[in-house]
Amino acid sequence: MGFWKNLFSGSGSSSAPTLATAEVPVTQGVGRISKTPAPKLAQPQICFSQDREIDLYELERLCDAVGWSRRPLRKVRKAIKHSFLVISMWELQGDESRLIGFSRATSDHAFNATIWDVVVHPDFQGRGLGKALMKQIIKELRRADISNVTLFADPHVIDFYCELGFAPDPEGIKGMFWYPNSR
Amino acid sequence: MGFWKNLFSGSGSSSAPTLATAEVPVTQGVGRISKTPAPKLAQPQICFSQDREIDLYELERLCDAVGWSRRPLRKVRKAIKHSFLVISMWELQGDESRLIGFSRATSDHAFNATIWDVVVHPDFQGRGLGKALMKQIIKELRRADISNVTLFADPHVIDFYCELGFAPDPEGIKGMFWYPNSR
């Protein structure tokens, strides 16, 4: 099994990507047809992975970039280890790779999954990459026969998730959070 | 470590129970003081356990009693196995035990937990046992240093969870469910 899955080639397009199922080796580089060989290898690729080990400092930089509160790396490592699914998104250029997106899900491996920590680097937002990442995580959860895919959405991303097929409060079901010291 | 935790003794009280931290061995039976020894052993106890193996058919009978849709036992077993926390509630009388309540939580073991499948047998509802069960699951999640304790509540139990310290849609955060074929 290949390590990477190609999303689409080129980073300059503003159109929404469609997910490609082909896997491409990171070291080969797949570019558009060109008369000059050198740019072919330098063509950036956006890929995702379920398997690649995450450098926690790189993930922290990504989360810093979107303004999330810092969390102890020890706990982040534990949370990733005990997530059912972790999908990372990368920009690949030559031998270089840069973490540009991340998402994970907890699950009972049977009925329910809850998606947490969906993040795309600001430099890569507005290109449909968040949608591509979400579609991939939904696809993998459905492949695992998880029927109840859930998440908790901040107000400013509710429309984003609606477009992906998520419904808020279906049949009046409420997402609820427990607050310490409230009782 | 004892197998059971005593909630409170006697099953006839309608007042809300307070959680007892003492553990009692299931085979001894702890009753009220009585002049006749036999009823002491026969006094029913309500206890909970984190460790006891759940008979899936007994759990199915409990879920049937509250009208839940049946689920494949194979998947129920898998879901229990991969839950971070499973708490069951039992009526003990002499050597007999009866499953009367159940709840479980998925988690990343670090930040987030989501509580699923909270059920109390109708014969035992209205005595505060659901609250006792929920308080126990919250206590265990907090003990595990999980800061974000969440759930999805059906409309008719939202007030029940509010009384336990859960808030719906805090800061506008929406619980969302993905629907197949919607996109």
Side-chain angles (χ1 to χ4, degrees), chain B residues 2 7 10 17 24 43 57 67 70 76 85-86 89 93 101 105 119-120 126-127 144 150 154 157 164 177 183:
Chain B
L7 275 177
V24 294
Q43 183 74 26
Y57 291 98
R70 286 221 163 170
V76 174
L85 180 64
V86 176
M89 192 159 58
Q93 193 159 19
V119 56
V120 174
R127 303 179 196 179
T150 65
D154 283 324
V157 288
L164 283 159
F177 289 67
R183 287 293 180 282

Side-chain angles (χ1 to χ4, degrees), chain B residues 47 58 90 97 117 120 144 166:
Chain B
C47 295
E58 196 172 6
W90 304 79
S97 65
D117 297 350
V120 174
F166 285 86

